[in-house]
mmCIF file of all heavy atoms in Angstrom:
data_model
loop_
_atom_site.group_PDB
_atom_site.id
_atom_site.type_symbol
_atom_site.label_atom_id
_atom_site.label_comp_id
_atom_site.label_asym_id
_atom_site.label_seq_id
_atom_site.Cartn_x
_atom_site.Cartn_y
_atom_site.Cartn_z
ATOM 1 N N GLY A 791 -15.841 -9.753 -2.692
ATOM 2 C CA GLY A 791 -16.803 -10.668 -2.104
ATOM 3 C C GLY A 791 -18.227 -10.285 -2.435
ATOM 4 O O GLY A 791 -18.594 -10.107 -3.611
ATOM 5 N N SER A 792 -19.027 -10.103 -1.407
ATOM 6 C CA SER A 792 -20.443 -9.766 -1.606
ATOM 7 C C SER A 792 -20.691 -8.267 -1.540
ATOM 8 O O SER A 792 -21.843 -7.828 -1.442
ATOM 9 C CB SER A 792 -21.295 -10.476 -0.533
ATOM 10 O OG SER A 792 -20.890 -10.060 0.769
ATOM 11 N N ASN A 793 -19.622 -7.487 -1.593
ATOM 12 C CA ASN A 793 -19.778 -6.031 -1.495
ATOM 13 C C ASN A 793 -20.193 -5.373 -2.806
ATOM 14 O O ASN A 793 -20.299 -4.156 -2.884
ATOM 15 C CB ASN A 793 -18.472 -5.398 -1.008
ATOM 16 C CG ASN A 793 -18.205 -5.696 0.455
ATOM 17 O OD1 ASN A 793 -19.062 -5.479 1.299
ATOM 18 N ND2 ASN A 793 -17.027 -6.219 0.751
ATOM 19 N N GLY A 794 -20.359 -6.195 -3.837
ATOM 20 C CA GLY A 794 -20.809 -5.638 -5.111
ATOM 21 C C GLY A 794 -19.675 -5.159 -5.981
ATOM 22 O O GLY A 794 -18.523 -5.540 -5.804
ATOM 23 N N GLU A 795 -20.010 -4.296 -6.927
ATOM 24 C CA GLU A 795 -19.040 -3.806 -7.900
ATOM 25 C C GLU A 795 -18.355 -2.538 -7.394
ATOM 26 O O GLU A 795 -18.868 -1.833 -6.535
ATOM 27 C CB GLU A 795 -19.733 -3.518 -9.231
ATOM 28 C CG GLU A 795 -20.216 -4.773 -9.951
ATOM 29 C CD GLU A 795 -19.068 -5.689 -10.328
ATOM 30 O OE1 GLU A 795 -18.023 -5.180 -10.781
ATOM 31 O OE2 GLU A 795 -19.196 -6.912 -10.154
ATOM 32 N N SER A 796 -17.177 -2.281 -7.964
ATOM 33 C CA SER A 796 -16.434 -1.060 -7.668
ATOM 34 C C SER A 796 -15.641 -0.672 -8.901
ATOM 35 O O SER A 796 -15.113 -1.535 -9.602
ATOM 36 C CB SER A 796 -15.492 -1.283 -6.489
ATOM 37 O OG SER A 796 -14.647 -0.162 -6.309
ATOM 38 N N ASP A 797 -15.576 0.628 -9.176
ATOM 39 C CA ASP A 797 -14.780 1.105 -10.311
ATOM 40 C C ASP A 797 -13.293 1.161 -9.976
ATOM 41 O O ASP A 797 -12.453 1.198 -10.870
ATOM 42 C CB ASP A 797 -15.250 2.501 -10.747
ATOM 43 C CG ASP A 797 -16.636 2.474 -11.389
ATOM 44 O OD1 ASP A 797 -16.983 1.429 -11.967
ATOM 45 O OD2 ASP A 797 -17.346 3.483 -11.303
ATOM 46 N N SER A 798 -12.973 1.200 -8.688
ATOM 47 C CA SER A 798 -11.573 1.302 -8.277
ATOM 48 C C SER A 798 -10.801 0.052 -8.690
ATOM 49 O O SER A 798 -11.308 -1.069 -8.581
ATOM 50 C CB SER A 798 -11.472 1.489 -6.762
ATOM 51 O OG SER A 798 -12.071 2.691 -6.361
ATOM 52 N N LEU A 799 -9.571 0.247 -9.139
ATOM 53 C CA LEU A 799 -8.752 -0.888 -9.543
ATOM 54 C C LEU A 799 -8.311 -1.692 -8.327
ATOM 55 O O LEU A 799 -8.441 -2.910 -8.287
ATOM 56 C CB LEU A 799 -7.529 -0.388 -10.329
ATOM 57 C CG LEU A 799 -6.539 -1.462 -10.793
ATOM 58 C CD1 LEU A 799 -7.222 -2.472 -11.708
ATOM 59 C CD2 LEU A 799 -5.343 -0.807 -11.498
ATOM 60 N N PHE A 800 -7.784 -1.014 -7.302
ATOM 61 C CA PHE A 800 -7.277 -1.704 -6.127
ATOM 62 C C PHE A 800 -8.252 -1.527 -4.964
ATOM 63 O O PHE A 800 -8.491 -0.401 -4.515
ATOM 64 C CB PHE A 800 -5.887 -1.186 -5.768
ATOM 65 C CG PHE A 800 -4.870 -1.466 -6.840
ATOM 66 C CD1 PHE A 800 -4.348 -0.437 -7.616
ATOM 67 C CD2 PHE A 800 -4.451 -2.765 -7.095
ATOM 68 C CE1 PHE A 800 -3.421 -0.690 -8.608
ATOM 69 C CE2 PHE A 800 -3.523 -3.034 -8.090
ATOM 70 C CZ PHE A 800 -3.012 -2.001 -8.851
ATOM 71 N N VAL A 801 -8.813 -2.651 -4.496
ATOM 72 C CA VAL A 801 -9.896 -2.599 -3.521
ATOM 73 C C VAL A 801 -9.520 -3.360 -2.247
ATOM 74 O O VAL A 801 -8.545 -4.117 -2.215
ATOM 75 C CB VAL A 801 -11.192 -3.198 -4.110
ATOM 76 C CG1 VAL A 801 -11.680 -2.371 -5.289
ATOM 77 C CG2 VAL A 801 -10.960 -4.659 -4.526
ATOM 78 N N THR A 802 -10.329 -3.149 -1.211
ATOM 79 C CA THR A 802 -10.180 -3.854 0.059
ATOM 80 C C THR A 802 -11.356 -4.812 0.239
ATOM 81 O O THR A 802 -12.289 -4.824 -0.566
ATOM 82 C CB THR A 802 -10.160 -2.862 1.230
ATOM 83 O OG1 THR A 802 -11.463 -2.251 1.343
ATOM 84 C CG2 THR A 802 -9.125 -1.764 1.000
ATOM 85 N N ARG A 803 -11.315 -5.585 1.312
ATOM 86 C CA ARG A 803 -12.412 -6.521 1.587
ATOM 87 C C ARG A 803 -13.706 -5.795 1.935
ATOM 88 O O ARG A 803 -14.783 -6.391 1.910
ATOM 89 C CB ARG A 803 -12.020 -7.470 2.726
ATOM 90 C CG ARG A 803 -10.970 -8.501 2.306
ATOM 91 C CD ARG A 803 -10.812 -9.591 3.345
ATOM 92 N NE ARG A 803 -9.780 -10.550 2.962
ATOM 93 C CZ ARG A 803 -9.978 -11.620 2.191
ATOM 94 N NH1 ARG A 803 -11.199 -11.840 1.710
ATOM 95 N NH2 ARG A 803 -8.996 -12.445 1.912
ATOM 96 N N ARG A 804 -13.615 -4.516 2.257
ATOM 97 C CA ARG A 804 -14.825 -3.734 2.541
ATOM 98 C C ARG A 804 -15.459 -3.171 1.275
ATOM 99 O O ARG A 804 -16.512 -2.535 1.333
ATOM 100 C CB ARG A 804 -14.490 -2.591 3.497
ATOM 101 C CG ARG A 804 -14.057 -3.063 4.883
ATOM 102 C CD ARG A 804 -13.808 -1.881 5.802
ATOM 103 N NE ARG A 804 -13.446 -2.311 7.146
ATOM 104 C CZ ARG A 804 -13.187 -1.492 8.153
ATOM 105 N NH1 ARG A 804 -13.262 -0.168 7.952
ATOM 106 N NH2 ARG A 804 -12.847 -1.957 9.335
ATOM 107 N N GLY A 805 -14.803 -3.375 0.157
ATOM 108 C CA GLY A 805 -15.354 -2.915 -1.107
ATOM 109 C C GLY A 805 -14.901 -1.551 -1.555
ATOM 110 O O GLY A 805 -15.205 -1.122 -2.660
ATOM 111 N N GLY A 806 -14.161 -0.854 -0.684
ATOM 112 C CA GLY A 806 -13.667 0.471 -1.058
ATOM 113 C C GLY A 806 -12.272 0.396 -1.651
ATOM 114 O O GLY A 806 -11.655 -0.677 -1.703
ATOM 115 N N SER A 807 -11.779 1.532 -2.119
ATOM 116 C CA SER A 807 -10.428 1.567 -2.668
ATOM 117 C C SER A 807 -9.415 1.656 -1.536
ATOM 118 O O SER A 807 -9.703 2.198 -0.468
ATOM 119 C CB SER A 807 -10.258 2.761 -3.614
ATOM 120 O OG SER A 807 -10.495 3.967 -2.922
ATOM 121 N N LEU A 808 -8.221 1.114 -1.777
ATOM 122 C CA LEU A 808 -7.152 1.171 -0.773
ATOM 123 C C LEU A 808 -6.728 2.626 -0.590
ATOM 124 O O LEU A 808 -6.574 3.371 -1.557
ATOM 125 C CB LEU A 808 -5.962 0.332 -1.234
ATOM 126 C CG LEU A 808 -4.974 -0.086 -0.141
ATOM 127 C CD1 LEU A 808 -5.601 -1.184 0.714
ATOM 128 C CD2 LEU A 808 -3.677 -0.592 -0.747
ATOM 129 N N THR A 809 -6.514 3.043 0.642
ATOM 130 C CA THR A 809 -6.149 4.430 0.918
ATOM 131 C C THR A 809 -4.638 4.634 0.815
ATOM 132 O O THR A 809 -3.860 3.675 0.851
ATOM 133 C CB THR A 809 -6.592 4.853 2.326
ATOM 134 O OG1 THR A 809 -5.864 4.081 3.298
ATOM 135 C CG2 THR A 809 -8.083 4.629 2.519
ATOM 136 N N ARG A 810 -4.255 5.902 0.716
ATOM 137 C CA ARG A 810 -2.840 6.274 0.691
ATOM 138 C C ARG A 810 -2.125 5.768 1.949
ATOM 139 O O ARG A 810 -1.025 5.220 1.878
ATOM 140 C CB ARG A 810 -2.744 7.802 0.611
ATOM 141 C CG ARG A 810 -1.359 8.378 0.774
ATOM 142 C CD ARG A 810 -1.471 9.880 1.030
ATOM 143 N NE ARG A 810 -2.128 10.560 -0.060
ATOM 144 C CZ ARG A 810 -1.503 11.128 -1.087
ATOM 145 N NH1 ARG A 810 -0.183 11.118 -1.135
ATOM 146 N NH2 ARG A 810 -2.164 11.740 -2.024
ATOM 147 N N GLN A 811 -2.762 5.940 3.114
ATOM 148 C CA GLN A 811 -2.148 5.533 4.369
ATOM 149 C C GLN A 811 -1.978 4.021 4.451
ATOM 150 O O GLN A 811 -0.955 3.527 4.941
ATOM 151 C CB GLN A 811 -2.993 6.018 5.555
ATOM 152 C CG GLN A 811 -3.029 7.515 5.739
ATOM 153 C CD GLN A 811 -3.999 8.207 4.779
ATOM 154 O OE1 GLN A 811 -4.759 7.546 4.067
ATOM 155 N NE2 GLN A 811 -3.961 9.536 4.766
ATOM 156 N N ALA A 812 -2.970 3.277 3.947
ATOM 157 C CA ALA A 812 -2.900 1.816 3.980
ATOM 158 C C ALA A 812 -1.770 1.306 3.087
ATOM 159 O O ALA A 812 -1.044 0.375 3.467
ATOM 160 C CB ALA A 812 -4.232 1.217 3.544
ATOM 161 N N PHE A 813 -1.603 1.912 1.923
ATOM 162 C CA PHE A 813 -0.523 1.474 1.036
ATOM 163 C C PHE A 813 0.835 1.834 1.629
ATOM 164 O O PHE A 813 1.792 1.061 1.542
ATOM 165 C CB PHE A 813 -0.693 2.099 -0.354
ATOM 166 C CG PHE A 813 0.324 1.605 -1.357
ATOM 167 C CD1 PHE A 813 0.489 0.253 -1.599
ATOM 168 C CD2 PHE A 813 1.129 2.501 -2.060
ATOM 169 C CE1 PHE A 813 1.427 -0.212 -2.514
ATOM 170 C CE2 PHE A 813 2.064 2.049 -2.971
ATOM 171 C CZ PHE A 813 2.217 0.688 -3.201
ATOM 172 N N TRP A 814 0.931 3.014 2.249
ATOM 173 C CA TRP A 814 2.175 3.411 2.911
ATOM 174 C C TRP A 814 2.548 2.389 3.972
ATOM 175 O O TRP A 814 3.708 1.985 4.078
ATOM 176 C CB TRP A 814 1.990 4.790 3.543
ATOM 177 C CG TRP A 814 3.198 5.318 4.261
ATOM 178 C CD1 TRP A 814 4.207 6.068 3.744
ATOM 179 C CD2 TRP A 814 3.511 5.145 5.654
ATOM 180 N NE1 TRP A 814 5.133 6.370 4.727
ATOM 181 C CE2 TRP A 814 4.740 5.819 5.896
ATOM 182 C CE3 TRP A 814 2.877 4.500 6.713
ATOM 183 C CZ2 TRP A 814 5.334 5.848 7.157
ATOM 184 C CZ3 TRP A 814 3.473 4.529 7.966
ATOM 185 C CH2 TRP A 814 4.692 5.209 8.167
ATOM 186 N N TYR A 815 1.552 1.955 4.753
ATOM 187 C CA TYR A 815 1.808 0.975 5.811
ATOM 188 C C TYR A 815 2.303 -0.342 5.213
ATOM 189 O O TYR A 815 3.229 -0.970 5.748
ATOM 190 C CB TYR A 815 0.518 0.733 6.602
ATOM 191 C CG TYR A 815 0.592 -0.472 7.514
ATOM 192 C CD1 TYR A 815 1.259 -0.413 8.739
ATOM 193 C CD2 TYR A 815 -0.002 -1.679 7.134
ATOM 194 C CE1 TYR A 815 1.337 -1.521 9.566
ATOM 195 C CE2 TYR A 815 0.081 -2.799 7.956
ATOM 196 C CZ TYR A 815 0.745 -2.715 9.169
ATOM 197 O OH TYR A 815 0.828 -3.820 9.978
ATOM 198 N N ARG A 816 1.724 -0.754 4.092
ATOM 199 C CA ARG A 816 2.096 -2.041 3.506
ATOM 200 C C ARG A 816 3.493 -1.981 2.877
ATOM 201 O O ARG A 816 4.242 -2.956 2.922
ATOM 202 C CB ARG A 816 1.033 -2.482 2.496
ATOM 203 C CG ARG A 816 -0.356 -2.567 3.110
ATOM 204 C CD ARG A 816 -1.379 -3.228 2.231
ATOM 205 N NE ARG A 816 -1.313 -4.682 2.329
ATOM 206 C CZ ARG A 816 -1.788 -5.391 3.336
ATOM 207 N NH1 ARG A 816 -2.361 -4.784 4.356
ATOM 208 N NH2 ARG A 816 -1.707 -6.701 3.342
ATOM 209 N N VAL A 817 3.854 -0.841 2.330
ATOM 210 C CA VAL A 817 5.209 -0.685 1.813
ATOM 211 C C VAL A 817 6.214 -0.822 2.952
ATOM 212 O O VAL A 817 7.248 -1.504 2.815
ATOM 213 C CB VAL A 817 5.380 0.679 1.108
ATOM 214 C CG1 VAL A 817 6.847 0.963 0.815
ATOM 215 C CG2 VAL A 817 4.591 0.700 -0.195
ATOM 216 N N LYS A 818 5.938 -0.195 4.081
ATOM 217 C CA LYS A 818 6.799 -0.314 5.260
ATOM 218 C C LYS A 818 6.909 -1.774 5.712
ATOM 219 O O LYS A 818 7.995 -2.252 6.077
ATOM 220 C CB LYS A 818 6.244 0.540 6.399
ATOM 221 C CG LYS A 818 6.308 2.035 6.164
ATOM 222 C CD LYS A 818 7.705 2.566 6.403
ATOM 223 C CE LYS A 818 7.736 4.080 6.369
ATOM 224 N NZ LYS A 818 9.097 4.612 6.576
ATOM 225 N N LYS A 819 5.798 -2.454 5.710
ATOM 226 C CA LYS A 819 5.756 -3.854 6.138
ATOM 227 C C LYS A 819 6.653 -4.712 5.242
ATOM 228 O O LYS A 819 7.457 -5.522 5.741
ATOM 229 C CB LYS A 819 4.314 -4.357 6.095
ATOM 230 C CG LYS A 819 4.169 -5.866 6.258
ATOM 231 C CD LYS A 819 2.733 -6.304 6.000
ATOM 232 C CE LYS A 819 2.619 -7.818 5.951
ATOM 233 N NZ LYS A 819 1.222 -8.261 5.647
ATOM 234 N N TYR A 820 6.528 -4.540 3.929
ATOM 235 C CA TYR A 820 7.308 -5.366 3.004
ATOM 236 C C TYR A 820 8.789 -4.981 3.021
ATOM 237 O O TYR A 820 9.647 -5.822 2.790
ATOM 238 C CB TYR A 820 6.719 -5.270 1.596
ATOM 239 C CG TYR A 820 5.330 -5.871 1.512
ATOM 240 C CD1 TYR A 820 4.266 -5.159 0.967
ATOM 241 C CD2 TYR A 820 5.082 -7.150 2.010
ATOM 242 C CE1 TYR A 820 2.997 -5.706 0.914
ATOM 243 C CE2 TYR A 820 3.810 -7.695 1.960
ATOM 244 C CZ TYR A 820 2.766 -6.979 1.415
ATOM 245 O OH TYR A 820 1.505 -7.520 1.373
ATOM 246 N N ALA A 821 9.069 -3.717 3.300
ATOM 247 C CA ALA A 821 10.469 -3.298 3.433
ATOM 248 C C ALA A 821 11.122 -4.021 4.602
ATOM 249 O O ALA A 821 12.282 -4.448 4.518
ATOM 250 C CB ALA A 821 10.548 -1.796 3.615
ATOM 251 N N ALA A 822 10.388 -4.173 5.705
ATOM 252 C CA ALA A 822 10.918 -4.882 6.871
ATOM 253 C C ALA A 822 11.164 -6.349 6.544
ATOM 254 O O ALA A 822 12.192 -6.924 6.925
ATOM 255 C CB ALA A 822 9.945 -4.750 8.043
ATOM 256 N N ILE A 823 10.223 -6.958 5.809
ATOM 257 C CA ILE A 823 10.389 -8.359 5.411
ATOM 258 C C ILE A 823 11.608 -8.515 4.510
ATOM 259 O O ILE A 823 12.354 -9.497 4.600
ATOM 260 C CB ILE A 823 9.119 -8.858 4.686
ATOM 261 C CG1 ILE A 823 7.937 -8.898 5.664
ATOM 262 C CG2 ILE A 823 9.350 -10.234 4.058
ATOM 263 C CD1 ILE A 823 6.601 -9.215 5.010
ATOM 264 N N ALA A 824 11.826 -7.526 3.637
ATOM 265 C CA ALA A 824 12.941 -7.573 2.691
ATOM 266 C C ALA A 824 14.250 -7.112 3.306
ATOM 267 O O ALA A 824 15.271 -7.039 2.609
ATOM 268 C CB ALA A 824 12.612 -6.715 1.469
ATOM 269 N N ASP A 825 14.231 -6.788 4.603
ATOM 270 C CA ASP A 825 15.423 -6.328 5.327
ATOM 271 C C ASP A 825 16.004 -5.059 4.705
ATOM 272 O O ASP A 825 17.217 -4.904 4.563
ATOM 273 C CB ASP A 825 16.488 -7.446 5.367
ATOM 274 C CG ASP A 825 17.570 -7.157 6.402
ATOM 275 O OD1 ASP A 825 17.267 -6.472 7.396
ATOM 276 O OD2 ASP A 825 18.724 -7.604 6.204
ATOM 277 N N ILE A 826 15.120 -4.130 4.326
ATOM 278 C CA ILE A 826 15.526 -2.817 3.828
ATOM 279 C C ILE A 826 15.374 -1.846 4.988
ATOM 280 O O ILE A 826 14.252 -1.563 5.432
ATOM 281 C CB ILE A 826 14.665 -2.377 2.625
ATOM 282 C CG1 ILE A 826 14.826 -3.370 1.469
ATOM 283 C CG2 ILE A 826 15.046 -0.971 2.168
ATOM 284 C CD1 ILE A 826 13.866 -3.131 0.318
ATOM 285 N N THR A 827 16.481 -1.348 5.494
ATOM 286 C CA THR A 827 16.452 -0.552 6.725
ATOM 287 C C THR A 827 16.397 0.949 6.483
ATOM 288 O O THR A 827 16.118 1.711 7.414
ATOM 289 C CB THR A 827 17.686 -0.870 7.589
ATOM 290 O OG1 THR A 827 18.868 -0.616 6.823
ATOM 291 C CG2 THR A 827 17.677 -2.335 8.019
ATOM 292 N N GLN A 828 16.693 1.414 5.273
ATOM 293 C CA GLN A 828 16.684 2.851 5.009
ATOM 294 C C GLN A 828 15.251 3.365 4.962
ATOM 295 O O GLN A 828 14.306 2.591 4.768
ATOM 296 C CB GLN A 828 17.378 3.140 3.676
ATOM 297 C CG GLN A 828 16.599 2.678 2.436
ATOM 298 C CD GLN A 828 17.440 2.755 1.189
ATOM 299 O OE1 GLN A 828 18.378 2.006 1.010
ATOM 300 N NE2 GLN A 828 17.080 3.676 0.307
ATOM 301 N N PRO A 829 15.048 4.677 5.173
ATOM 302 C CA PRO A 829 13.692 5.243 5.111
ATOM 303 C C PRO A 829 13.032 4.931 3.769
ATOM 304 O O PRO A 829 13.648 5.070 2.712
ATOM 305 C CB PRO A 829 13.938 6.749 5.278
ATOM 306 C CG PRO A 829 15.242 6.844 5.993
ATOM 307 C CD PRO A 829 16.060 5.700 5.492
ATOM 308 N N LEU A 830 11.785 4.495 3.831
ATOM 309 C CA LEU A 830 11.100 4.049 2.622
ATOM 310 C C LEU A 830 9.647 4.483 2.651
ATOM 311 O O LEU A 830 8.990 4.455 3.690
ATOM 312 C CB LEU A 830 11.187 2.518 2.521
ATOM 313 C CG LEU A 830 10.705 1.866 1.234
ATOM 314 C CD1 LEU A 830 11.568 2.306 0.061
ATOM 315 C CD2 LEU A 830 10.752 0.349 1.364
ATOM 316 N N SER A 831 9.151 4.923 1.498
ATOM 317 C CA SER A 831 7.755 5.304 1.346
ATOM 318 C C SER A 831 7.338 4.919 -0.071
ATOM 319 O O SER A 831 8.184 4.574 -0.904
ATOM 320 C CB SER A 831 7.586 6.818 1.552
ATOM 321 O OG SER A 831 8.123 7.528 0.446
ATOM 322 N N PRO A 832 6.031 4.966 -0.380
ATOM 323 C CA PRO A 832 5.621 4.688 -1.758
ATOM 324 C C PRO A 832 6.338 5.570 -2.785
ATOM 325 O O PRO A 832 6.616 5.131 -3.895
ATOM 326 C CB PRO A 832 4.116 4.980 -1.722
ATOM 327 C CG PRO A 832 3.718 4.682 -0.319
ATOM 328 C CD PRO A 832 4.890 5.143 0.513
ATOM 329 N N HIS A 833 6.655 6.819 -2.405
ATOM 330 C CA HIS A 833 7.311 7.727 -3.341
ATOM 331 C C HIS A 833 8.736 7.277 -3.665
ATOM 332 O O HIS A 833 9.277 7.626 -4.717
ATOM 333 C CB HIS A 833 7.330 9.151 -2.768
ATOM 334 C CG HIS A 833 7.287 10.214 -3.816
ATOM 335 N ND1 HIS A 833 6.175 10.442 -4.608
ATOM 336 C CD2 HIS A 833 8.221 11.117 -4.231
ATOM 337 C CE1 HIS A 833 6.428 11.432 -5.439
ATOM 338 N NE2 HIS A 833 7.657 11.851 -5.236
ATOM 339 N N THR A 834 9.341 6.477 -2.766
ATOM 340 C CA THR A 834 10.681 5.965 -3.012
ATOM 341 C C THR A 834 10.689 5.068 -4.251
ATOM 342 O O THR A 834 11.672 5.027 -4.999
ATOM 343 C CB THR A 834 11.195 5.168 -1.798
ATOM 344 O OG1 THR A 834 11.018 5.946 -0.616
ATOM 345 C CG2 THR A 834 12.668 4.824 -1.952
ATOM 346 N N LEU A 835 9.586 4.358 -4.487
ATOM 347 C CA LEU A 835 9.486 3.497 -5.676
ATOM 348 C C LEU A 835 9.467 4.346 -6.948
ATOM 349 O O LEU A 835 10.023 3.949 -7.976
ATOM 350 C CB LEU A 835 8.232 2.638 -5.599
ATOM 351 C CG LEU A 835 8.189 1.607 -4.478
ATOM 352 C CD1 LEU A 835 6.827 0.928 -4.425
ATOM 353 C CD2 LEU A 835 9.290 0.574 -4.665
ATOM 354 N N ARG A 836 8.832 5.503 -6.883
ATOM 355 C CA ARG A 836 8.818 6.421 -8.029
ATOM 356 C C ARG A 836 10.228 6.933 -8.297
ATOM 357 O O ARG A 836 10.660 7.013 -9.451
ATOM 358 C CB ARG A 836 7.854 7.572 -7.742
ATOM 359 C CG ARG A 836 7.806 8.686 -8.789
ATOM 360 C CD ARG A 836 6.654 9.630 -8.450
ATOM 361 N NE ARG A 836 6.750 10.919 -9.071
ATOM 362 C CZ ARG A 836 6.265 11.227 -10.281
ATOM 363 N NH1 ARG A 836 5.688 10.279 -11.009
ATOM 364 N NH2 ARG A 836 6.369 12.449 -10.770
ATOM 365 N N HIS A 837 10.951 7.261 -7.222
ATOM 366 C CA HIS A 837 12.334 7.701 -7.385
ATOM 367 C C HIS A 837 13.195 6.587 -7.967
ATOM 368 O O HIS A 837 14.057 6.833 -8.823
ATOM 369 C CB HIS A 837 12.913 8.145 -6.039
ATOM 370 C CG HIS A 837 12.331 9.420 -5.517
ATOM 371 N ND1 HIS A 837 12.085 10.515 -6.323
ATOM 372 C CD2 HIS A 837 11.946 9.784 -4.269
ATOM 373 C CE1 HIS A 837 11.564 11.490 -5.593
ATOM 374 N NE2 HIS A 837 11.477 11.066 -4.344
#
């Protein structure tokens, strides 16, 4: 938006980069939507 430029690839509406904790939360959220009940974290995608 009006927050100017950022070198970070993945940004938030505040203009900063997305944090590790925020991405972890979103992975959990999408796992619930996808009805994936096993323990899941961003590192699970790497595995």
Side-chain angles (χ1 to χ4, degrees):
S792 60
N793 289 308
E795 291 297 318
S796 172
D797 291 332
S798 297
L799 178 60
F800 296 110
V801 296
T802 67
R803 288 192 182 273
R804 294 183 178 181
S807 60
L808 199 74
T809 65
R810 172 194 300 267
Q811 293 79 8
F813 185 55
W814 180 90
Y815 167 78
R816 303 191 83 77
V817 169
K818 292 282 188 181
K819 169 188 171 182
Y820 294 128
I823 294 173
D825 195 28
I826 299 172
T827 57
Q828 70 191 69
L830 188 64
S831 72
H833 210 68
T834 310
L835 295 174
R836 175 172 161 88
H837 290 318

